Amino acid sequence: MDIKEKLKKLVSRREVLAVSLVLFLFFGFYSIKLMGASSVITTQQTLGKYTQEGELIHVALLKNNTLYGERLSREEYPIPLVESFVLTYEYRFAPATSIEGNYNTQGIVQYTVNRGSEEVVLWEEKLFEKSGELEDGKFTVQYELNLTKLENRTSEIVEQLGLKRLNRKITFATRVNVEGNVYGREVTESFEHSSSLIKDSGSGLYYFTNEKESTQKTVVEKGAKRTVVTIVGLPFYADTAKKVAPILALLFLTPVLGGLFSKWLKA
């Protein structure tokens, strides 16, 4: 009996056909199952967080009184007692390692009127403006706002514009630009903070809005790793298994088709 006859006899055996059919179904099942498996998993690791924080700190210098003394720091201030405000703006970037940048902070007074629902700015002046470079990721500036002088200036503008119903809006605006290395990553950031001084004539109080502003961001490291799947207790990379499983399924399908073809010929 030659080799060809021996192979033909071997292929036609029921036991071999049965085993081949089982293995074909097994690897065929995994071929279909692995079709939806991702070959690569995206990973993400948090390296750390960094914050930017700005705060407008205010202290009122008072006119002669027997209630509060010369200085007062609180959320609201009685309008008739306040001579001026000492304003301190503080900014910091944390962590400050390998960070540099510049800042600009200014106080602006606007004189407006309302036209329907629209606010129209008729005149605008700078109360102060300070710029500079960050030192160790932070800066501090100070300014004294003399309200007596401001009231006198407001009276001049009202007289020149010839408008009695003129609104006054005082805003303190800060912008910071930073760049550097944080947790091994290059960052370029901007920070903006705007606060206002409100004169509430109805309640007879001065107060400030939005005195604090802060932002926080997370530095992450993204990566990718090959997906591992388990077949009959053995680990395989998903991309490899996707290629091997269909090949094995087809390999074990061959004896089954051969056996069926032989029976068909005999019939």
Side-chain angles (χ1 to χ4, degrees), residues 111-122 163 165-167:
Y111 298 92
T112 67
V113 293
N114 294 326
R115 186 179 65 184
S117 59
E118 182 183 359
E119 184 180 65
V120 180
V121 179
L122 296 179
L163 297 172
R165 293 187 178 182
L166 193 65
N167 302 317

Side-chain angles (χ1 to χ4, degrees), residues 14 63 156:
R14 292 183 179 180
K63 300 174 183 178
E156 291 178 10

Side-chain angles (χ1 to χ4, degrees), residues 102-116:
N102 56 73
Y103 67 87
N104 175 273
T105 183
Q106 55 185 300
I108 301 170
V109 56
Q110 293 179 326
Y111 298 92
T112 67
V113 293
N114 294 326
R115 186 179 65 184

Side-chain angles (χ1 to χ4, degrees), residues 58-74 77-86 144-145 147:
H58 42 82
V59 177
L61 302 182
L62 305 180
K63 300 174 183 178
N64 291 334
N65 71 93
T66 58
L67 298 175
Y68 298 108
E70 296 180 353
R71 300 168 66 91
L72 180 64
S73 178
R74 55 180 295 164
Y77 303 90
I79 292 175
L81 293 183
V82 181
E83 178 71 29
S84 61
F85 281 108
V86 176
E144 182 175 345
L145 176 62
L147 295 177

Side-chain angles (χ1 to χ4, degrees), residues 40 42 47-48 68 79-80 105 119 124-125 173 187 234 239 242 246 251 254:
V40 177
T42 301
L47 300 179
Y68 298 108
I79 292 175
T105 183
E119 184 180 65
E124 178 179 296
E125 290 183 340
V187 298
L234 299 175
D239 53 353
K242 284 182 177 181
L251 180 64
T254 302

Side-chain angles (χ1 to χ4, degrees), residues 49-52 92-96 137:
K49 297 180 179 180
Y50 62 89
T51 60
Q52 296 185 83
R92 67 185 183 90
F93 186 106

Side-chain angles (χ1 to χ4, degrees), residues 9-29:
K9 185 177 182 181
L10 180 63
V11 168
S12 63
R13 291 179 182 176
R14 292 183 179 180
E15 295 84 355
V16 174
L17 294 177
V19 172
S20 298
L21 178 60
V22 171
L23 290 175
F24 161 70
L25 294 175
F26 175 81
F27 287 108
F29 166 77

